[in-house]
Amino acid sequence: MRAMVITDGSLTSADVPEPEPGTGEVLIEVAAAGVNRADLLQLQGLHPPPPGAAEWPGLEVSGTIRALGPDVTGWSVGERVCALLDGGGYAELALARADNLLPVPAELDLVDAASFPEALGTLWSNLVAIPGLDGPAALIRPDTASDTAPETAPEELATGRTLLVHGGSGGVGTIALQLFTSLGARVLTTAGGPERTARCLELGADAAIDHRSEDFVERVRDLTDGRGVDAVLDPIGAAYLEQNISVLAPHGHLAIIGMQKGTKGTLNLARLLGKWLTVHGTGLRGRPAAEKAVIMADVRRRVWPLVCSATVGAVVHQRLPLTEAGEGHRLLADGVAFGKVLLLPV
């Protein structure tokens, strides 16, 4: 089969052996693979795949199941799915654990479905549920964290809360704006330039701040009457650390999901302690398999219906042939893409 492998820091098309599904795995005939910033890091040698995963990039795909491995139940050959992967999505065929699959109904475009697994897994595990617990421990709604508390309906999870989503024009950000608005939150976001901020407003953001011309700290304070936000989703990293802490309301939560602008920052612990804040850094790919299974099961049960009902939709910047994966990386690296870039094997 064809795959886009890494050769001397570049993506090149190569023929590789077809993978065979192991215990608990399925083989997917890929309709599309999503491009993520983690793929760009892997190309630079900074984000290696977990042991046992394919060496080429690709953390999410959509397609149809071609084969089932031993001990796989509840899924059938030919079924339409999208999946979270440990790697190997930039190919005609990809392996996924069965517990990381989401069913794609007929009313959902199969290619566009590749936009969702990584974004939904990231958002749900960082701003709603703490994976590994028996029930949803809501970081945006601490009152739902008790093991004995009744399960909160998805549409009520974020009611009364205010979130700041950095990079609202990105692949994760465009999903976040829709998702948390639908969950009842007031969502503020940052993006670069008037065109991108305008499109963020169309996706449901209550306010969109142009980080090229505005100070987001001042704007957030104005928009919240000085209180601040309950949670910040940040793919930027060190460059925004102090500012993010400063815009959090008491008991606020900072979720760092990327390091686009630096890995080391200075943290004022007095401010952290004085406002009872939490700082949470995470990557989805490196989580143990059992944790990812918990995340995706909760996503399927509580978030996926919002996608299937078109409440949360795919925002696709461009569909490219698989062989143009390098161009897809450039669109992300240069900040051109609004939403998701997808790679199609055919």
Side-chain angles (χ1 to χ4, degrees):
M1 71 167 185
R2 182 176 54 179
M4 296 303 294
V5 302
I6 298 174
T7 305
D8 297 326
S10 298
L11 290 167
T12 58
S13 179
D15 288 327
V16 299
E18 291 190 6
E20 296 185 6
T23 301
E25 293 181 328
V26 303
L27 180 65
I28 298 173
E29 185 173 336
V30 176
V35 178
N36 291 278
R37 287 194 175 270
D39 301 331
L40 277 65
L41 293 176
Q42 182 174 342
L43 192 62
Q44 299 169 31
L46 301 176
H47 193 49
E55 294 295 325
W56 47 91
L59 300 180
E60 59 188 345
V61 298
S62 61
T64 56
I65 296 177
R66 174 178 282 197
L68 305 176
D71 298 334
V72 173
T73 59
W75 299 98
S76 304
V77 171
E79 193 165 357
R80 292 158 43 105
V81 296
C82 58
L84 187 70
L85 311 179
D86 288 339
Y90 288 16
E92 294 175 319
L93 300 171
L95 290 177
R97 284 190 290 273
D99 50 20
N100 288 341
L101 299 179
L102 296 169
V104 177
E107 59 269 22
L108 183 61
D109 185 275
L110 184 60
V111 168
D112 288 354
S115 305
F116 293 109
E118 181 75 17
L120 293 180
T122 296
L123 293 170
W124 199 253
S125 60
N126 283 286
L127 288 182
V128 179
I130 299 175
L133 300 183
D134 291 333
L139 294 168
I140 55 174
R141 287 294 301 273
D143 53 299
T144 66
S146 169
D147 290 338
T148 60
E151 184 172 295
T152 305
E155 64 272 14
E156 300 172 357
L157 267 174
T159 300
R161 301 286 161 155
T162 302
L163 276 63
L164 172 61
V165 174
H166 287 300
S169 61
V172 173
T174 52
I175 300 297
L177 300 184
Q178 300 173 77
L179 174 61
F180 289 109
T181 297
S182 71
L183 297 180
R186 180 191 184 200
V187 182
L188 316 178
T189 192
T190 61
E195 181 180 348
R196 297 170 85 85
T197 54
R199 292 185 66 185
C200 287
L201 294 174
E202 293 172 359
L203 289 172
D206 187 79
I209 303 163
D210 184 352
H211 64 73
R212 296 175 183 172
S213 61
E214 299 179 279
D215 184 329
F216 79 82
V217 174
E218 291 184 4
R219 287 279 283 130
V220 168
R221 287 172 178 165
D222 289 342
L223 290 164
T224 61
D225 296 324
R227 176 182 176 271
V229 296
D230 297 289
V232 176
L233 182 75
D234 178 45
I236 305 301
Y240 277 8
L241 181 59
E242 288 192 64
Q243 295 98 311
N244 286 334
I245 293 296
S246 71
V247 300
L248 284 173
H251 300 285
H253 175 69
L254 169 59
I256 302 172
I257 63 168
M259 302 173 292
Q260 293 180 29
K261 294 186 179 179
T263 60
K264 296 181 180 180
T266 301
L267 185 62
N268 185 335
L269 294 179
R271 183 176 287 169
L272 192 75
L273 273 62
K275 292 200 292 182
W276 311 284
L277 307 179
T278 60
V279 178
H280 178 57
T282 183
L284 186 58
R285 184 186 204 181
R287 285 188 184 275
E291 288 189 9
K292 285 198 273 192
V294 169
I295 292 168
M296 296 308 289
D298 212 27
V299 164
R300 179 177 180 181
R301 181 168 57 96
R302 309 187 69 197
V303 187
W304 197 237
L306 297 174
V307 175
C308 295
S309 67
T311 301
V312 176
V315 180
V316 178
H317 178 81
Q318 194 166 352
R319 299 179 176 189
L320 294 170
L322 179 64
T323 52
E324 295 183 22
E327 172 64 8
H329 281 211
R330 185 195 68 79
L331 292 172
L332 263 66
D334 292 349
V336 174
F338 189 100
K340 204 74 178 183
V341 175
L342 301 177
L343 304 177
L344 281 61
V346 293

